[in-house]
């Protein structure tokens, strides 16, 4: 688990159909970490979760699950973590 702090840029709720035919919803948050220009997309299983308003600085506890899609199947991937040089 990691603490992610950044500015909430966008909230998206997506409707989808499960394999068994039932309807479902998923929520995604777009967060821009402090000092970075690369936004991070965070998936949320609880659609009713309130984290803050657009433009506010928020802190969330997140888990990382790296994967990629190949032949319509989800495959395990590796994530790179690094400490940037302070110049």
């Amino acid at each position: 688990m990691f603490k992610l702090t950044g500015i909430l840029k966008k909230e998206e709720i997506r409707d989808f159909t499960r394999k068994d035919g039932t309807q479902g919803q998923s929520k995604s948050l777009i967060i821009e970490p402090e000092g970075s220009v690369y936004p991070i997309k965070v998936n949320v299983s609880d659609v009713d979760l309130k984290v803050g308003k657009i433009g506010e600085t928020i802190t969330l506890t997140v888990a990382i699950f790296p994967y990629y899609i190949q032949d319509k199947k989800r495959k395990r991937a590796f994530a790179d973590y690094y400490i940037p040089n302070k110049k």
Side-chain angles (χ1 to χ4, degrees), residues 11-48:
E11 286 188 31
E12 300 173 337
I13 296 178
R14 181 178 63 90
D15 295 318
F16 64 92
T17 305
R18 294 184 178 98
K19 289 182 181 180
D20 64 359
T22 60
Q23 295 295 315
Q25 288 185 324
S26 68
K27 184 176 187 176
S28 297
L29 305 172
I30 306 297
I31 300 171
E32 187 176 300
E34 296 173 351
S36 176
V37 295
Y38 299 105
I40 296 174
K41 181 179 178 180
V42 177
N43 295 315
V44 181
S45 57
D46 182 10
V47 179
D48 297 327

Side-chain angles (χ1 to χ4, degrees), residues 3-81:
K3 294 277 186 184
L4 175 62
T5 301
I7 299 170
L8 180 62
K9 292 293 187 178
K10 189 177 190 181
E11 286 188 31
E12 300 173 337
I13 296 178
R14 181 178 63 90
D15 295 318
F16 64 92
T17 305
R18 294 184 178 98
K19 289 182 181 180
D20 64 359
T22 60
Q23 295 295 315
Q25 288 185 324
S26 68
K27 184 176 187 176
S28 297
L29 305 172
I30 306 297
I31 300 171
E32 187 176 300
E34 296 173 351
S36 176
V37 295
Y38 299 105
I40 296 174
K41 181 179 178 180
V42 177
N43 295 315
V44 181
S45 57
D46 182 10
V47 179
D48 297 327
L49 179 68
K50 303 291 182 200
V51 294
K53 295 180 181 178
I54 305 289
E56 287 183 339
T57 299
I58 61 171
T59 300
L60 298 173
T61 302
V62 298
I64 296 176
F65 181 70
Y67 68 92
Y68 65 96
I69 304 294
Q70 183 179 17
D71 299 327
K72 298 183 180 180
K73 293 185 180 179
R74 186 167 48 194
K75 303 281 185 168
R76 180 178 171 191
F78 295 99
D80 289 329
Y81 301 96

